[in-house]
Amino acid sequence: MNPSNASELDVPAIMRVGAARMTAGLDRLARLDLATHSEIFGQLPRLSAEKLMAMASQVDLRGQGGAGFPFARKLQAVVDVARKTGQPTVVVVNATEGEPGSFKDKMLMIRSPYLVLSGAALVAEAIEAEEVIVGVAGNELANRSIEAAIAAEPGLRSMVRVVQQPDRFISGESGALVRGINGKKPVPPGRKTLASDKGVDDLPTLLSNASTFAQVAVLALLGPERFAAVGVPEEPGTVLLSVSGSAKHPAVVECPTGIPLGTVLDICQAPAGDGVLVGGYHGMWLDAETAYQVPIGREGLASAGGTFGSGIVLPLGDGTCPLGEVSRIASYLAGESAGQCGPCKLGLPSIARALAAIVDGSGGIEALDLARRAATTVNGRGACSHPDGTTRFVLSALEVFTEDLAAHVFHSTCGRPVRGVLPIPEGPEQADAKQLVVDWVRCEGHGLCAHLVPELIHLDKTGFPVILPIPVPPWLEKEANHAVQMCPALALRLDTDPKKRGGGGPKTAPIPVIAPAGRTSLLGDRRSITAG
């Protein structure tokens, strides 16, 4: 039978401020099957592209994946290209959600998959798309849930397919996702290519993330006036926030825009401590006082020096070293690059090494200067937005954590351990990844390894290697193997992190979904239908 309790599924908890919209029904049920979804939400009205664009423009509906691009403009661009070229269109649901700390899309896929799929089906019909593609990544439970939902609805079975992507930070970038769907290496293309111009199979493609399609469904159900009845006038409606970090109760929180971020932190019992990261690992840090007062939303967060991004909220709390946490993530981000350009291949590792030297007390003011210079050099010069986002994260941290920074620079330590409050992926893919390891009994400090793979190894003041503690990225595997083979003392090797071995864990049982006896359409007639 279908699970009725969220604890049975080990899925993200849900909290709310105000009335439920995207999370309707999830206070009572772990997952909404087709019948329950229809009972709660009803059928979506059928809308033309022009009507849907007008509705989206009226409430200034934006993408929920990070860039915040106006949905109506994206829709218009796809329609214009299709009319100009006479080509068919494609709809892509970006459900990869590869950024650590973000789990709102996974929550929707697991617990309310038909809200996402009905929004995608509505858009597909409006722009006369021939196919809907759902791009997924590493969350097996979410992937099975969305596949089961498609299999249970005849109309979806005929038009929707699921495409698996690698579970990596950059694989969810729009260009990388399109490349992956097209059978190419799923990395950013290195030049700005709009999916609306040339997307899947070079066809005009409307690509948005899963929670954006859920918002589209809610807008269609409520209409612009009722949709705008909550939130701030310039950015009406509700948003989904992924709150974890120091939170005693990590959760996806649905709340109206305009409320103080402190309200969300309080209900999750999430102390800000030294600061709160908003917008994820391409986002920015806020000090505790600002974080509690800032209104939720794009404009509110931007006015306080933050960014909404994809709705990730990571309070740091007390008792952990802020610079140590930032250093961990900078190293992770350096390893997650595509390795296509100098800023990623050399600039990001330089920043990560400099931060590591500050944290362990060996770098001092020189390492701080190097981190800032490297960030300035990298910014604006990458083949994609990954270097810019990483430098924004790092420079923001250096501005907010001034006291901790001073303790490390002038006293070598702040006296606090690094507790790993900020999440880093730990699935089976990461557990099996190889990284460079030194046998210090054998190492004689020849320094050859640092010349062969400078992206991962540099020499300390005594001439011994210091290795960036990250898995070897795919684009550096050849160089890393060469360094191992050339080590004169046979001291260098590639090995898995012993702390992560066997991290795959048991697999969750499939979610049974009973197929309906007959066809049940998610789209009804053109009359207005209200949300339950």
Side-chain angles (χ1 to χ4, degrees):
M1 66 178 185
N2 286 315
S4 59
N5 191 304
S7 62
E8 297 176 33
L9 289 178
D10 187 27
V11 296
I14 294 171
M15 295 186 181
R16 302 188 186 99
V17 178
R21 289 186 170 186
M22 286 180 282
T23 60
L26 299 180
D27 55 338
R28 299 180 286 108
L29 297 166
R31 182 180 185 273
L32 304 185
D33 60 16
L34 184 57
T36 310
H37 170 85
S38 299
E39 178 186 338
I40 292 172
F41 289 99
Q43 292 177 318
L44 292 180
R46 297 177 183 273
L47 300 172
S48 66
E50 289 71 21
K51 178 63 174 177
L52 185 55
M53 281 186 273
M55 293 172 67
S57 294
Q58 188 172 334
V59 299
D60 193 21
L61 183 66
R62 301 291 185 103
Q64 307 293 299
F69 194 80
F71 187 78
R73 286 174 54 190
K74 184 179 290 188
L75 198 61
Q76 183 71 67
V78 173
V79 170
D80 288 346
V81 173
R83 288 173 177 169
K84 181 179 179 181
T85 62
Q87 295 175 305
T89 59
V90 180
V91 170
V92 172
V93 180
N94 187 350
T96 55
E97 202 172 28
E99 181 167 357
S102 183
F103 41 90
K104 60 182 174 61
D105 288 358
K106 296 181 183 72
M107 181 278 294
L108 289 170
M109 291 170 65
I110 294 169
R111 303 192 62 181
S112 193
Y114 288 110
L115 190 63
V116 176
L117 293 170
S118 62
L122 173 72
V123 173
E125 182 172 279
I127 65 173
E128 300 179 356
E130 296 187 348
E131 185 177 33
V132 174
I133 301 170
V134 182
V136 301
N139 191 290
E140 187 177 348
L141 181 58
N143 300 349
R144 288 204 307 271
S145 175
I146 208 79
E147 289 171 350
I150 294 167
E153 211 287 327
L156 295 177
R157 285 202 303 268
S158 65
M159 69 181 300
V160 184
R161 65 183 171 104
V162 176
V163 175
Q164 181 82 33
Q165 291 282 93
D167 190 13
R168 292 197 62 201
F169 188 91
I170 61 168
S171 297
E173 192 268 345
S174 59
L177 177 55
V178 168
R179 283 175 57 88
I181 294 170
N182 286 337
K184 300 178 181 178
K185 187 176 180 180
V187 297
R191 65 184 187 279
K192 188 63 176 177
T193 304
L194 297 176
S196 58
D197 294 337
K198 283 190 175 183
V200 175
D201 296 332
D202 289 336
L203 299 175
T205 301
L206 190 140
L207 187 153
S208 280
N209 83 312
S211 52
T212 304
F213 286 104
Q215 282 277 37
V216 170
V218 171
L219 173 61
L221 287 163
L222 296 177
E225 290 76 18
R226 290 189 62 200
F227 184 92
V230 300
V232 294
E234 63 273 14
E235 189 181 347
T238 64
V239 292
L240 296 179
L241 303 177
S242 303
V243 185
S244 57
S246 69
K248 183 178 180 180
H249 302 293
V252 174
V253 181
E254 182 174 16
C255 62
T257 58
I259 69 166
L261 180 57
T263 302
V264 172
L265 296 176
D266 286 345
I267 66 173
C268 293
Q269 296 184 34
D274 288 87
V276 178
L277 179 64
V278 291
Y281 293 162
H282 281 177
M284 302 179 76
W285 289 94
L286 299 175
D287 63 80
E289 182 178 357
T290 302
Y292 275 106
Q293 297 175 358
V294 66
I296 292 171
R298 294 184 307 274
E299 293 188 11
L301 286 165
S303 66
T307 178
F308 185 81
S310 56
I312 299 172
V313 179
L314 291 168
L316 204 52
D318 300 308
T320 190
C321 169
L323 261 296
E325 297 284 350
V326 171
S327 176
R328 288 175 59 244
I329 303 310
S331 294
Y332 162 74
L333 293 173
E336 284 296 299
S337 78
Q340 297 184 112
C341 61
C344 266
K345 294 177 69 173
L346 297 173
L348 298 190
S350 295
I351 295 171
R353 288 195 299 266
L355 288 174
I358 294 172
V359 171
D360 68 23
S362 66
I365 197 71
E366 294 86 358
L368 175 58
D369 289 341
L370 174 59
R372 284 177 170 155
R373 286 200 310 272
T376 302
T377 302
V378 164
N379 196 41
R381 299 184 177 182
C384 68
S385 61
H386 185 56
D388 293 354
T390 303
T391 57
R392 181 166 54 244
F393 165 81
V394 169
L395 292 175
S396 173
L398 297 180
E399 291 179 6
V400 170
F401 301 130
T402 52
E403 292 185 11
D404 191 64
L405 184 60
H408 282 279
V409 169
F410 297 112
H411 304 290
S412 298
T413 180
C414 68
R416 290 177 286 183
V418 182
R419 300 189 183 278
V421 173
L422 300 183
I424 289 178
E426 294 182 350
E429 187 173 322
Q430 288 75 29
D432 295 336
K434 298 291 184 69
Q435 62 186 59
L436 287 170
V437 180
V438 175
D439 182 347
W440 294 110
V441 175
R442 293 174 177 267
C443 183
E444 299 175 359
H446 293 96
L448 179 61
C449 56
H451 293 285
L452 293 174
V453 59
E455 297 89 347
L456 296 177
I457 305 175
H458 77 284
L459 303 181
D460 64 15
K461 294 178 181 178
T462 64
F464 283 87
V466 178
I467 299 178
L468 205 60
I470 61 172
V472 175
W475 49 274
L476 273 178
E477 289 176 354
K478 181 179 178 181
E479 290 82 354
N481 278 298
H482 185 49
V484 169
Q485 295 167 4
M486 294 298 293
C487 177
L490 304 179
L492 191 66
R493 69 179 190 274
L494 278 167
D495 200 358
T496 56
D497 186 341
K499 293 180 290 186
K500 295 182 179 179
R501 286 181 188 141
K507 293 185 178 181
T508 310
I511 303 172
V513 176
I514 301 172
R519 176 183 172 85
T520 307
S521 176
L522 293 168
L523 304 182
D525 55 28
R526 296 182 182 272
R527 60 191 174 88
S528 176
I529 299 178
T530 58

